[in-house]
Amino acid sequence: MNPVKPAATATTADAVRKGRETLTVIDNRTGKQYELPITHDTIRALDLRKIKVQENEFGMMSYDPAFNNTALCQSRVTFIDGDSGILRYRGYPIEELAEKSTYLETAYLILHGELPTRPQLEEWSFHITHHTFIHESIKKFLDGFHYDAHPMGMMISTIAALSTFYPDARDIFNEESRSKQTWRLIGKMPTLAAFAYRHSLGMPYAYPDNELSYTGNFLNMLFKTTELKYRPNPTLEHALDVLFILHADHEQNCSANAMRCVGSSHVDPYSATAAATAALYGPLHGGANEEVLRMLMQIGSTQRVPEYIQRVKAGEHKLMGFGHRIYKNYDPRARIIKRIADEVFEVMGRNPLIDIALECERVALQDEYFVSRRLYPNVDFYTGLIYQSMGFPMTMFPVLFAIPRTSGWIAQWEEMLLDAEQKIARPRQVYLGHDQRSYVPIENRS
Ligand code: ACO
C-alpha cells in the first residue's frame, strides 16, 4: 500500500475543485466552448445567453416548464431534502418544533430567523393578539356573500380588501410598516376564517378573545355559542397548534411562488397574500386535503381500496394526498400528523374513514406503480380526517392551511423584497407561434 498516492490524488482533486468551479459547455452547432461559473452547484441561467450562433442573436435560454429544475431565489428560510424526507425551518427540524414549540413562536422563528427570547415572544404574541379584530365594514363585506360561498373565495376577497383599509401597507420598504402588516395579517387571518365559517352557517360572528392562545381563540371564534367564556379543549387546541406549525412554510411551493411573483411588482402585502391564498385554493395544492376526504368517502370501504387503486393506475384519477414535487420519500409532516390524528380521535371519537386511508397507504406502498414513482402520502393525506373529526366542514380545510402558511408567505415576500438581486418576476418564453403574416379581411377568410 502506498500512503502517498491517495494524499496526492486528494490534493489534485481539491486543487481542481477549488481552481475551477466551472462548467464547460461545447456548442456543437459552432464548436465553440464556454466556461460557466458554478456557485452552490448552480449555474446562472443568464450566463447561457453568451451561447449564440450569430453575434446578433438573443442567445440561449433554459426551458423549464413548471420550474422543475430552476432555483428562483437564494433563501435562508426553509430547507427540504425530499429524498431523505427532511424539513427544517431556519435549521430547526420540523419534528423538534412540532414537539417543543408553539405556532406563534415558530412563526417568529420563520420571520426573524432566530427563536425569540422570552420578552421577544411576549411582545410578538402581544402584537399578534392585539391585531385580531377586523374593521366592522369587513363584516358587511362578508354579509354580501351567498350562504354557500366557498370560504376560500371569501378569504381571498377579504384579504385583498384589507389593503383598502390599510393604505400604509404600500410603504413596503419601511421596516416598521412591514412589521405592522405582518402582525395584522397573522392576527386577522383566523378572524376572517372564523367569520367566513359562521357566515356560511348563518351564525352571529364571535369576536376574538385576547385571553386565549392563537389556536384557542380561533376555536372560540368558530365554535362559541351561548357560553359567556369559551374554553377550548386543550387536546384540540394543541393538535391545531401542531398542525399550524407543520403548515407554516414549505419553501418555493406554488403559493409561496405566487406571493413572491405578485409581491415582486411591489404591490402591498395584502394583495400579494390574496394571490398566494388563491394559489393555495387549487386541488393540486392546498385544496388536496378536501379532495382526499371526498375520495375516501367515494371509496366507501376498505374492501373497495384495491379496486380504486387499480383505477388510479389505469389513469382514471389520482390518489389524492399522494405524491409530491419535492418529497420522493415519506413526507415528514404526514408522520407527525398520523400521531396527532390518534390524539384527536381519543377526544372526538375515531373517524371511520381513517381505516380506508390506512388501507390505501398499505396497498399503495406495496404496489410497483407507486413504489417506482416514489409516491408517498403527503401532508394532506391525513389532515382532512383530523379536521373532519374536529367538526370542520370540508370547505374549511384549505382555509386551515392558509392561516398558518401566512407566516411563511410573509417571510418569503420579505426575503424577496430585501434581496438586491430580485426584480419584478418576468419569465421568458419559447415562441412557437406563427411568423409575421398579413391581416385577412373577414370576407376573405375560409
Ligand atoms: N396518484 C397517481 N399517480 C400519481 C400521483 C397520484 N397522486 N401523483 C403523481 N402521479 C404519477 C404521475 O401520473 C406521473 O406518472 P407518469 O410518470 O406515468 O406520467 C408520475 O407519478 C410523476 O408525477 P408528476 O405529475 O410528474 O409529479 P409532479 O411533481 O408534477 O406533481 C403533485 C406533484 C401535483 C403533488 C402530484 O403528485 C399530485 O397531483 N398529487 C395529488 C394531489 C395532491 O395530493 N396534492 C397535494 C400536494 S402537497 C401540497 O401542496 C401541500
Side-chain angles (χ1 to χ4, degrees), residues 19 52 58 142 148 232 248 261 321 336-337:
K52 339 177 151 176
F58 181 76
L142 280 166
D148 60 354
C261 179
I336 302 167
I337 286 169

Side-chain angles (χ1 to χ4, degrees), residues 108-161:
Y108 183 99
L109 168 72
I110 287 174
L111 279 148
H112 296 88
E114 295 296 336
L115 286 166
T117 60
R118 197 176 292 282
Q120 283 170 333
L121 181 59
E122 278 165 12
E123 194 191 339
W124 168 247
S125 306
F126 176 89
H127 285 309
I128 304 285
T129 309
H130 288 80
H131 285 89
T132 47
F133 275 73
I134 54 174
H135 197 286
E136 285 292 294
S137 295
I138 291 271
K139 277 176 31 187
K140 292 187 205 137
F141 199 89
L142 280 166
D143 286 343
F145 285 103
H146 211 257
Y147 74 95
D148 60 354
H150 197 291
M152 275 302 260
M154 293 194 246
M155 288 297 284
I156 294 164
S157 323
T158 47
I159 295 165

